[in-house]
Amino acid sequence: MAGDRGRTALVVRGGWEGHVPVPATELFIPFLEEHGFQVHRADSPAPYADPDFMSGVDLIVQCYTMGTIEPAEMSGLDAAVRAGTGLAGWHGGIADSFRATSEYLHLIGGQFACHPGKDPAERDGSQADNFIPHTITVSPAAGDHPITAGIADFDLVTEQYWVLADAYVDVLATTTLRVRPWDPWHREVTAPAVWTREWGEGKVFVATPGHSLDVLRHDSVRTIIERGMLWAAR
């Protein structure tokens, strides 16, 4: 897109290594560069606390699972988004970051709660214990949204996120968690799987699929994330 020139993206990656934050973000950095972004990489949220630097950032791509964020970093992140910096990410890198910081949860609008696992008799103690078949359902009202236009419902075998979300998220896609004999809940639960959120002058984009590189390379997942980054950017 020739119109996207001269913008700056900050890629913040780290936290739990199970989500391969460096390889995962490197998968998308060439796309950002092709769309005219100068990309800065950081291995902690420390740059958020630098208001001079953040004032020039048009897009934050965050892949930082769990971890902690200092008050000055959180304040700087919130101020940047309010001023127009976009914030985008996938899976635990944005929906399971900085669990102990309520201001961050308020900014994002949805928080990972669990990923239901396989039948206990089939588990072997690996990450694959939580890889189950499920469907990502594009919301009918999102059929013409620039992030999800033309994307049909699709199936994955990976972690299915049960997300606790508030009413201010604009849901583009959902996933329905079934009730299996070993589950403690008694009815199906539909959780947001892709959503956006407007915050001051800025925009937030979240996609919950993205546990591993093979999921991020799935055509629909990758397209949604690439479009979501561009949508969120200033």
Side-chain angles (χ1 to χ4, degrees), residues 172-214:
L172 302 183
T174 61
T175 189
T176 297
L177 299 103
R178 298 181 294 115
V179 181
R180 291 85 49 85
W182 56 90
D183 292 323
W185 51 93
H186 299 279
R187 62 177 183 270
E188 291 185 342
V189 175
T190 297
V194 180
W195 71 86
T196 62
R197 192 170 179 89
E198 297 189 21
W199 203 252
E201 299 300 316
K203 293 182 286 187
V204 178
F205 159 78
V206 179
T208 62
H211 175 78
S212 54
L213 294 178
D214 62 317

Side-chain angles (χ1 to χ4, degrees), residues 16 28 33 70 75 110 123 136 140 158 164 173 177 181 185 209 230:
W16 184 61
F28 292 97
E33 292 174 335
E70 296 298 321
S75 178
R123 301 177 191 178
I136 304 297
T158 184
L164 307 180
L177 299 103
W185 51 93
L230 296 183

